[in-house]
Amino acid sequence: MHIIYTIDDVSNPDKSYVIGDVLITADQISQRVQELGEKISADYADECPLVITVLRGSVIFAADLVRNIDCPLEMDFLSVSSYGQSTKSSGAVKILKDLDTDVAGRDVLIVEDIIDSGLTLNYLVNYIAGQKPASIKTCSLLLRNLDPENEPPLDYYGFKIPDEFVVGYGLDYAQMYRNLPDISILVEEE
Ligand code: IMP
Ligand code: MG
């Protein structure tokens, strides 16, 4: 069955979007997540990191990533808003759900789905650094368009992608498409 998802861009009622070409297949993701897991396992061999997943886009990546990490670890989650319903960043980061774990003295690994401007990750690194962890590392599945003026400290990443809005494997447009197993480009409907 071939499903075409169509939704309207709520910020522009004249435009609607459809799923375009697959950019990264589920198999390619799986292979890369395994490699990242091996690297992270080696780096944290003697520690029990606190893996902090940024809701909601990173949930599927984090779920696969932790199952490829073979050292003991804990997980916690926080939620931030920055994009709203649009494909353009609003530029403001807000914490919607805070951590439940005390990060003081912990080795923290922040897991993100995608770094665009770097605003979200920079904000989170500063926020968590203020709570005196033993260390902070960052991991993002995707990396796009890094603004050199605002480059976040990124220790691990999966793929560099071109300047396109992507959905699938946890990434959404207006909360849709997170369940698609591949990562695909969102294109404007002709
Ligand atoms: P940044 O703060 O500009 O780096 O944006 C990062 C956040 O924006 C990510 O955590 C995503 O939630 C969201 N985002 C950025 N680009 C995309 C995309 O192509 N698809 C879906 N979400 C995206
Ligand atoms: Mg996100």
Side-chain angles (χ1 to χ4, degrees), residues 83 112-120 144 165-166 171-172:
Y83 274 59
E112 255 288 35
D113 51 359
I114 180 166
I115 307 302
D116 182 23
S117 66
L119 195 79
T120 306
R144 179 187 54 215
F165 196 87
V166 292
L171 290 119
D172 73 306

Side-chain angles (χ1 to χ4, degrees), residues 125-160:
V125 167
N126 285 332
Y127 175 70
I128 290 169
Q131 301 172 43
K132 305 276 176 272
S135 67
I136 307 180
K137 282 188 177 178
T138 56
C139 176
S140 178
L141 177 65
L142 305 177
L143 178 57
R144 179 187 54 215
N145 253 2
L146 255 195
D147 170 5
E149 300 286 296
N150 199 26
E151 200 167 309
L154 191 58
D155 297 283
Y156 312 95
Y157 70 89
F159 303 92
K160 283 193 177 162

